[in-house]
Amino acid sequence: MSRIISLIAMFLIPTAAAAQDWALRAGDKLLSHMEVAQLTTGQTLVFYDDGQSKFSAGGAYSYTYASGQSAYGRYTIEPDGTVCIQYRNGFARCDRYVQSGTRIVLLTEDGQRFPIRPEVLE
């Protein structure tokens, strides 16, 4: 029984190892743990669709859609810089951040790219 629970947990809990291929493009530079921590911790990142990711210093996380609706959870920054979020509704995901030319871009495990608006990074 404990083996079954372990197998289920392995598929439900995001880990940095779960994503091997982040669909990197030529010129993308993965951000390190320290760079990601500086970018996210205590910050709100705004995307071009007006969505906002808020990373509280204590590990609380929220994503607010342009419509004003929000999703809440907790985030961790893995040693390799991967950011994993466990939402209250049970959904979980891991993302990476890259420097792509002059932009910082969020990469999802399924290959989507979401650039962060530059005024947020100043």
Side-chain angles (χ1 to χ4, degrees):
M1 181 64 145
S2 65
R3 182 174 179 185
I4 292 171
I5 292 172
S6 295
L7 287 172
I8 291 170
M10 182 172 70
F11 290 105
L12 294 178
I13 299 172
T15 64
Q20 299 284 330
D21 180 11
W22 291 95
L24 295 172
R25 294 183 181 171
D28 282 351
K29 176 196 167 280
L30 286 168
L31 298 186
S32 69
H33 179 274
M34 183 180 298
E35 291 168 320
V36 172
Q38 291 173 343
L39 174 69
T40 58
T41 306
Q43 302 297 319
T44 299
L45 304 180
V46 180
F47 298 91
Y48 282 94
D49 64 358
D50 291 325
Q52 297 184 18
S53 287
K54 183 175 183 177
F55 298 87
S56 297
Y61 174 83
S62 67
Y63 183 83
T64 303
Y65 297 88
S67 67
Q69 293 182 310
S70 295
Y72 300 96
R74 308 244 349 126
Y75 77 96
T76 58
I77 303 171
E78 302 297 324
D80 70 351
T82 300
V83 177
C84 292
I85 301 164
Q86 179 70 47
Y87 289 91
R88 289 183 191 167
N89 66 5
F91 180 73
R93 65 182 285 161
C94 292
D95 302 312
R96 288 299 310 254
Y97 290 89
V98 297
Q99 177 81 43
S100 181
T102 59
R103 291 186 165 173
I104 300 294
V105 179
L106 177 144
L107 304 182
T108 65
E109 288 176 294
D110 62 358
Q112 295 183 67
R113 299 174 67 91
F114 297 97
I116 298 168
R117 290 175 40 182
E119 62 270 18
V120 175
L121 303 174
E122 297 174 355

